[in-house]
C-alpha cells in the first residue's frame, strides 16, 4: 500500500512546526470524497515537529456521493526531542467506501505522542499504524474505537516498536459490533535488544451485539530485553 501510494499520490498536506513553537488550537483536515463515477484517491501527508514543539491534528474522512470510493492515504510524522504531538483520525463515510490508511510515527528522546483512531461508519477499513520509539524516555498512548454494523469490515494493524530503553507505551482498542460486521485487531509490541526498563501495555476489548458479528483479535509481544514490564490481553 505504501509503494502504491508513492507511485500514484497526487497531493497531501504538509505541516511543519518550528522549534519550541506551541500551537494552542488543533489543526483540522477534512477529506471529502466527491465524484459522479467510481473514484480512487491517493494522498501522501507529512508532519514534522521540531525540538520542543507542540501540536494537535484532527483528520476527518467524509463522502458526498453514492459511488464506490477507494482512499489510500499515507501519513508520516516525525516528533523531535521533547516535542508533543496528538493525532486524531475520525472516519464517518458510507458502505461503498474503502479506506486504506497508513500512519507512521517516529519519536525522539523525551517526546510525547497520543494517537486516537476512530471508525464510526464505513464499508471496508484497513488502518496500519506503526510507532517507533527511537529515543529514551518516550511516552506513547495509542487508542482506537470501532462502531460496526451491517456488513462493515474494519481491521486495525498496529506496531509499537520500543527501540530504546526507559520508554513507556500504553495501547487500548475497543470495538462495538452489530449485525454481520466482521472486524479484526492485530497489535504487536516489540521490545528491542537492550531496551531495558521498558513499560509496554496493550489491551483489546470487544462487545458483540449479535450472533453474526465477528471479531478476530491477535495481541502479540516480542521481547528481546530482560528488565521490562509488558502485558497484553483481549476480551
Amino acid at each position: 500500500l505504501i509503494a502504491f501510494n508513492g507511485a500514484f499520490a497526487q497531493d497531501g498536506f504538509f505541516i511543519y512546526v518550528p522549534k519550541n513553537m506551541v500551537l494552542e488550537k488543533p489543526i483540522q483536515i477534512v477529506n471529502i470524497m466527491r465524484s459522479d463515477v467510481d473514484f480512487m484517491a491517493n494522498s501522501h501527508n507529512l508532519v514534522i515537529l521540531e525540538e520542543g514543539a507542540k501540536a494537535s491534528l484532527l483528520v476527518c474522512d467524509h463522502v458526498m456521493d453514492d459511488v464506490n470510493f477507494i482512499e489510500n492515504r499515507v501519513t508520516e510524522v516525525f516528533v523531535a526531542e521533547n516535542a508533543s504531538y496528538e493525532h486524531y483520525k475520525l472516519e464517518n463515510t458510507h458502505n461503498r467506501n474503502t479506506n486504506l490508511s497508513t500512519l507512521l510515527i517516529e519519536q525522539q528522546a523525551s517526546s510525547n505522542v497520543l494517537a486516537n483512531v476512530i471508525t464510526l461508519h464505513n464499508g471496508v477499513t484497513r488502518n496500519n499504524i506503526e510507532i517507533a520509539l527511537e529515543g529514551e524516555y518516550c511516552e506513547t498512548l495509542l487508542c482506537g474505537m470501532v462502531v460496526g454494523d451491517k456488513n462493515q469490515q474494519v481491521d486495525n494493524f498496529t506496531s509499537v516498536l520500543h527501540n530504546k530503553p526507559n520508554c513507556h507505551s500504553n495501547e487500548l482498542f475497543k470495538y462495538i459490533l452489530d449485525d454481520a460486521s466482521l472486524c479484526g485487531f492485530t497489535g504487536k509490541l516489540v521490545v528491542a535488544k537492550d531496551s531495558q526498563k521498558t513499560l509496554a501495555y496493550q489491551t483489546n476489548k470487544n462487545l458483540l451485539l449479535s450472533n453474526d458479528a465477528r471479531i478476530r483479535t491477535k495481541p502479540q509481544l516480542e521481547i528481546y530485553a530482560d528488565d521490562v514490564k509488558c502485558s497484553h490481553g483481549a476480551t
Side-chain angles (χ1 to χ4, degrees), residues 75-100:
T75 302
E76 295 184 84
V77 181
F78 296 91
V79 184
E81 186 173 349
N82 292 312
S84 180
Y85 177 70
E86 295 183 7
H87 185 99
Y88 301 90
K89 178 178 178 291
L90 178 63
E91 185 178 12
N92 189 17
T93 61
H94 63 37
N95 292 339
R96 300 178 66 181
N97 189 65
T98 297
N99 194 335
L100 310 172

Side-chain angles (χ1 to χ4, degrees), residues 7-159:
F8 294 100
Q10 294 180 314
D11 60 11
F13 59 80
F14 172 56
I15 298 173
Y16 173 75
V17 186
K19 182 177 179 180
N20 295 324
M21 174 69 70
V22 176
L23 301 184
E24 299 293 343
K25 295 182 179 180
I27 299 169
Q28 183 178 14
I29 303 290
V30 181
N31 297 315
I32 301 177
M33 298 293 283
R34 162 75 182 94
S35 178
D36 296 324
V37 297
D38 294 348
F39 188 77
M40 177 175 64
N42 294 275
S43 61
H44 195 122
N45 312 308
L46 179 61
V47 179
I48 298 176
L49 274 69
E50 294 287 8
E51 185 176 335
K54 183 177 182 180
S56 299
L57 175 65
L58 169 61
V59 181
C60 300
D61 291 334
H62 302 285
V63 298
M64 289 186 62
D65 300 290
D66 190 24
V67 300
N68 295 312
F69 289 114
I70 297 179
E71 304 173 62
N72 183 11
R73 307 189 188 279
V74 175
T75 302
E76 295 184 84
V77 181
F78 296 91
V79 184
E81 186 173 349
N82 292 312
S84 180
Y85 177 70
E86 295 183 7
H87 185 99
Y88 301 90
K89 178 178 178 291
L90 178 63
E91 185 178 12
N92 189 17
T93 61
H94 63 37
N95 292 339
R96 300 178 66 181
N97 189 65
T98 297
N99 194 335
L100 310 172
S101 173
T102 302
L103 174 62
L104 306 172
I105 300 178
E106 180 182 294
Q107 291 184 242
Q108 297 300 325
S110 300
S111 61
N112 192 299
V113 165
L114 164 62
N116 203 332
V117 180
I118 300 172
T119 302
L120 297 180
H121 185 55
N122 195 45
V124 177
T125 295
R126 165 73 178 248
N127 290 314
N128 295 309
I129 305 167
E130 180 179 292
I131 303 178
L133 286 60
E134 301 292 351
E136 292 192 57
Y137 302 105
C138 290
E139 293 280 341
T140 304
L141 178 58
L142 173 58
C143 300
M145 184 182 75
V146 176
V147 178
D149 61 4
K150 301 181 177 67
N151 294 311
Q152 189 173 347
Q153 298 182 44
V154 181
D155 290 314
N156 287 297
F157 283 70
T158 71
S159 296

Side-chain angles (χ1 to χ4, degrees), residues 213-232:
R214 293 288 184 271
I215 176 72
R216 294 174 176 145
T217 179
K218 187 181 178 183
Q220 304 169 78
L221 293 178
E222 290 186 20
I223 303 173
Y224 302 98
D226 55 11
D227 186 9
V228 303
K229 291 183 179 180
C230 299
S231 68
H232 67 316

Side-chain angles (χ1 to χ4, degrees), residues 167-184:
C167 293
H168 178 203
S169 71
N170 203 333
E171 181 176 355
L172 174 62
F173 274 74
K174 292 185 177 183
Y175 292 65
I176 301 175
L177 307 181
D178 202 357
D179 301 327
S181 54
L182 174 63
C183 297

